[in-house]
């Protein structure tokens, strides 16, 4: 089972990270899911693949009633992002899924109907969860051609999808990045290969540099916090991407 | 029924549909051949004139038979398509059930109650409804196979009658006998395909 770790809490406003399932079969990539709660409502970021649904669901239930999840945010269209959508809809058929307009006719293959999906325009949009205003930040071509990250200005947290992801070796299961230089070695090959556009990368770096970020939460690997956020953005800005090596 | 049993059943149904579709393809190809053969036979009968009037009528009937057979195969294909759609939904549901079962094993307290509620709520009912729809489709399939068998029996009778008519066609008797024997042999191919289909269907139904 995954563990549910509260990474931010201020009154009724919470971020819970659902991470690290020791029983996960090794042929499935490890993923992080994030639940953003404001009072009675919640949004689930990248709910995960169908095969890891039991682990995500059981961990989430220890903290929150899954029937109160009103929204799902899908950073992009990959199966490890949203193939569990049909199962989440079993608990709340009224659930709304925010995702790039580009994928609104592709992702329904995982579940849902016309009413389920709220297309995010290329420039991004605000998403209300309870009284909280979140912003979908464009991250196109990083790595998907229709890609968004989610920024919470109150918590100063950026959910960064595959950007910042690291494929950690066995035993490297810390929730936060503790030694940036050690950690980034496990992120390098992934970013070089998966991030396809240098121009998109520079654009993203410029955009997020203007945001006040205390935590950068990727979908795979450890969370960057404090000065490591700036370190990561600078490292990424200088990384040669879109190459096979 | 457990989700593993559901998966096995779904796999079994899909393999059965593939077998039926393969036989349908073979019957359609043969029906097309009969259609062409009948058209040639009609021309031949016309050339033979008065002596082959009966043969001409039977050739026309054989052509209509081939067209009816093609229509029947197209309806059968529609049925197997419907069957595939239901099986697909069953596979999806079986997967959902399997994953929900796993989630239930891992979840305690209120989460487990919520899962139980969802599973009880509509999952089993929905699954039952799909299974009975599949049974209805299978019954219709069986009926259609029986109808097709009758139709092919009629084709076989027409071919045999054409052979008798050929014997009384004067100078054209030899060539028309050859044509009617070809009809008979080709229709017997369809009969064999249908027998295989019926046999498989009976065995599959248990």
């Amino acid at each position: 089972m995954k563990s549910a770790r509260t990474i931010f809490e201020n009154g009724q406003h919470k971020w819970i990270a659902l991470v690290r399932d020791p029983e996960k079969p090794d042929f499935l990539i490890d993923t992080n899911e994030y639940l953003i709660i404001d009072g009675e409502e919640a949004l689930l970021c990248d709910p995960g693949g169908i095969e890891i649904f039991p682990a995500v669901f059981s961990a989430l239930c220890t903290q929150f009633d899954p029937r109160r999840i009103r929204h799902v945010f899908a950073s992009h269209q990959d199966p490890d992002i949203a193939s569990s959508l049909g199962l989440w809809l079993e608990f709340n058929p009224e659930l709304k899924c925010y995702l790039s307009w580009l994928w609104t006719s592709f992702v329904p293959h995982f579940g849902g109907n016309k009413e389920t999906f709220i297309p995010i325009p290329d420039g991004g949009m605000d998403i209300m969860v309870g009284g909280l205003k979140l912003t979908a930040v464009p991250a196109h071509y990083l790595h998907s051609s229709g890609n968004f990250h989610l920024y919470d200005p109150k918590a100063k947290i950026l959910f960064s999808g595959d950007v910042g992801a690291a494929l950690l070796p066995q035993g490297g299961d810390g929730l936060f990045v503790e030694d940036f230089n050690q950690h980034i070695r496990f992120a390098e090959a992934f970013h070089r290969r998966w991030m396809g556009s240098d121009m998109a990368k520079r654009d993203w770096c410029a955009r997020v540099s203007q945001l006040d970020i205390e935590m950068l939460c990727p979908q795979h690997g450890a969370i960057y916090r404090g000065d490591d956020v700036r370190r990561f953005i600078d490292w990424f800005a200088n990384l040669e991407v879109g190459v096979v090596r | 029924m457990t989700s593993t049993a559901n998966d096995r059943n779904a796999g079994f149904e899909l393999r059965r549909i593939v077998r039926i579709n393969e036989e349908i393809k073979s019957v359609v190809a043969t029906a097309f051949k009969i259609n062409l053969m009948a058209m040639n036979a009609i021309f031949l009968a016309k050339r033979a004139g008065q002596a082959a009037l009966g043969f001409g009528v039977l050739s026309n009937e054989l052509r209509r038979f081939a067209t009816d057979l093609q229509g029947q195969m197209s309806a059968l294909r529609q049925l197997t398509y419907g069957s595939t759609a239901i099986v697909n939904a069953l596979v999806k549901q079986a997967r959902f059930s399997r994953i929900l079962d796993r989630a239930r094993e891992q979840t305690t307290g209120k989460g487990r109650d919520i899962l139980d509620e969802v599973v009880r709520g509509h999952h089993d009912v929905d699954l039952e409804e799909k299974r009975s729809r599949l049974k209805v489709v299978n019954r219709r399939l069986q009926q259609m196979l029986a109808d097709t068998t009758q139709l092919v029996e009629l084709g076989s009778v027409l071919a045999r009658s054409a052979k008798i008519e050929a014997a009384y066609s004067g100078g054209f008797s030899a060539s028309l006998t050859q044509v009617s024997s070809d009809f008979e042999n080709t229709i017997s191919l369809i009969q064999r395909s249908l027998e295989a289909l019926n046999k498989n269907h009976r065995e599959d139904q248990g």
Side-chain angles (χ1 to χ4, degrees):
Chain A
M1 181 174 136
K2 280 182 173 246
S3 49
R5 308 269 300 271
T6 302
I7 56 170
F8 172 86
E9 186 166 9
N10 182 17
Q12 293 207 308
H13 178 196
K14 269 190 191 179
W15 273 69
I16 296 170
L18 306 161
V19 292
R20 314 289 182 269
D21 176 12
E23 287 145 41
K24 178 190 69 62
D26 58 8
F27 58 84
L28 291 171
I29 190 165
D30 192 33
T31 54
N32 305 327
E33 292 72 34
Y34 299 93
L35 185 71
I36 308 169
I37 306 170
D38 192 60
E40 289 297 301
E41 266 191 43
L43 175 147
L44 185 58
C45 290
D46 285 2
I50 190 163
E51 285 299 326
I52 58 137
F53 172 84
V56 177
F57 181 86
S58 51
L60 190 147
C61 281
T62 62
Q63 304 283 325
F64 195 75
D65 183 338
R67 291 169 302 189
R68 279 166 35 209
I69 298 173
R70 300 272 182 268
H71 324 267
V72 157
F73 172 81
S75 60
H76 59 290
Q77 84 292 359
D78 278 351
D80 66 322
I81 301 293
S83 64
S84 63
L85 184 63
L87 283 164
W88 292 103
L89 284 161
E90 295 277 333
F91 297 92
N92 185 357
E94 304 302 314
L95 192 82
K96 299 293 176 206
C97 176
Y98 292 86
L99 86 163
S100 164
W101 67 272
L102 207 62
W103 301 119
T104 48
S105 58
F106 290 75
V107 173
H109 286 287
F110 294 142
N113 55 38
K114 198 169 191 260
E115 278 69 47
T116 308
F117 298 93
I118 299 180
I120 308 177
D122 281 341
M125 69 185 280
D126 291 334
I127 298 169
M128 295 302 296
V129 177
L132 190 66
K133 189 162 87 173
L134 305 170
T135 305
V137 180
H140 306 308
Y141 296 102
L142 300 174
H143 66 90
S144 164
S145 45
N147 207 124
F148 285 97
H149 295 162
L150 194 63
Y151 179 60
D152 178 348
K154 273 196 180 166
K156 298 181 183 172
I157 297 177
L158 178 70
F159 167 63
S160 59
D162 280 324
V163 173
L167 305 176
L168 301 174
Q170 268 205 332
D173 51 3
L175 180 59
F176 294 102
V177 173
E178 300 299 345
D179 179 336
F180 183 83
N181 293 327
Q182 279 288 323
H183 176 84
I184 211 66
R185 293 185 302 143
F186 302 113
E188 190 173 330
F190 180 87
H191 285 78
R192 276 192 202 283
R193 181 66 195 255
W194 283 89
M195 304 302 156
S197 159
D198 196 62
M199 189 192 281
K201 180 202 72 177
R202 279 186 272 117
D203 186 42
W204 180 86
C205 289
R207 186 175 301 115
V208 300
S209 292
Q210 288 165 19
L211 302 174
D212 187 3
I213 305 171
E214 280 184 2
M215 265 186 252
L216 188 141
C217 299
Q219 197 224 350
H220 311 280
I223 295 169
Y224 302 79
R225 58 181 169 175
D227 291 342
D228 283 340
V229 174
R230 184 73 254 166
R231 272 190 204 109
F232 173 76
I233 297 169
D234 290 344
W235 170 85
F236 190 36
N238 290 310
L239 184 75
E240 186 189 13
V241 298
V243 288
V244 180
R245 228 184 245 177
Chain B
M1 195 181 288
T2 64
S3 31
T4 319
N6 269 328
D7 281 354
R8 266 202 306 272
N9 265 6
F12 173 80
E13 284 293 337
L14 283 175
R15 282 192 296 278
R16 195 170 66 85
I17 292 165
V18 168
R19 277 205 305 270
I20 295 173
N21 280 335
E22 284 305 303
E23 294 296 349
I24 291 175
K25 270 198 288 192
S26 131
V27 173
V28 167
T30 316
F32 180 71
K33 195 171 162 193
I34 293 174
N35 204 336
L36 287 181
M37 283 164 64
M39 209 157 65
N40 284 334
I42 292 166
F43 292 136
L44 199 58
K46 277 207 189 302
R47 272 211 298 279
Q50 197 65 22
L53 269 183
F55 189 90
V57 170
L58 287 164
S59 301
N60 263 318
E61 288 303 310
L62 277 163
R63 204 167 169 219
R64 189 176 302 161
F65 155 74
T67 312
D68 288 350
L69 192 59
Q70 279 172 322
Q72 194 82 351
M73 288 300 112
S74 158
L76 208 55
R77 194 172 273 160
Q78 277 294 324
L79 266 187
T80 59
Y81 172 76
S83 195
T84 310
I86 299 171
V87 173
N88 184 40
L90 275 170
V91 170
K92 188 177 162 196
Q93 195 142 354
R95 190 174 188 207
F96 271 28
S97 298
R98 196 172 59 239
I99 287 165
L100 288 175
D101 286 347
R102 265 172 47 210
R104 198 178 171 281
E105 280 164 24
Q106 293 182 24
T107 310
T108 52
K110 203 174 172 195
R112 182 177 274 205
D113 296 341
I114 295 167
L115 274 165
D116 286 342
E117 203 179 299
V118 167
V119 172
R120 265 199 315 272
H122 75 273
H123 239 71
D124 287 348
V125 179
D126 209 24
L127 209 57
E128 254 340 289
E129 192 248 324
K130 284 191 185 90
R131 279 197 207 112
S132 42
R133 268 171 53 206
L134 192 61
K135 274 185 192 154
V136 171
V137 172
N138 279 339
R139 274 200 297 274
R140 284 179 58 201
L141 202 71
Q142 195 163 13
Q143 183 56 49
M144 198 165 275
L145 280 174
D147 292 349
T148 310
T149 307
Q150 257 184 350
L151 180 68
V152 176
E153 191 57 44
L154 172 72
S156 177
V157 170
L158 289 172
R160 279 201 300 273
S161 303
K163 207 169 184 178
I164 295 164
E165 283 296 324
Y168 297 101
S169 301
F172 281 86
S173 180
S175 52
L176 291 182
T177 301
Q178 180 58 50
V179 171
S180 53
S181 294
D182 290 347
F183 273 132
E184 220 175 356
N185 294 336
T186 313
I187 289 170
S188 73
L189 288 178
I190 297 179
Q191 275 173 319
R192 276 205 287 278
S193 282
L194 279 178
E195 268 163 30
L197 265 179
N198 274 314
K199 186 168 170 274
N200 282 334
H201 193 73
R202 274 196 304 276
E203 282 171 3
D204 294 345
Q205 296 305 296

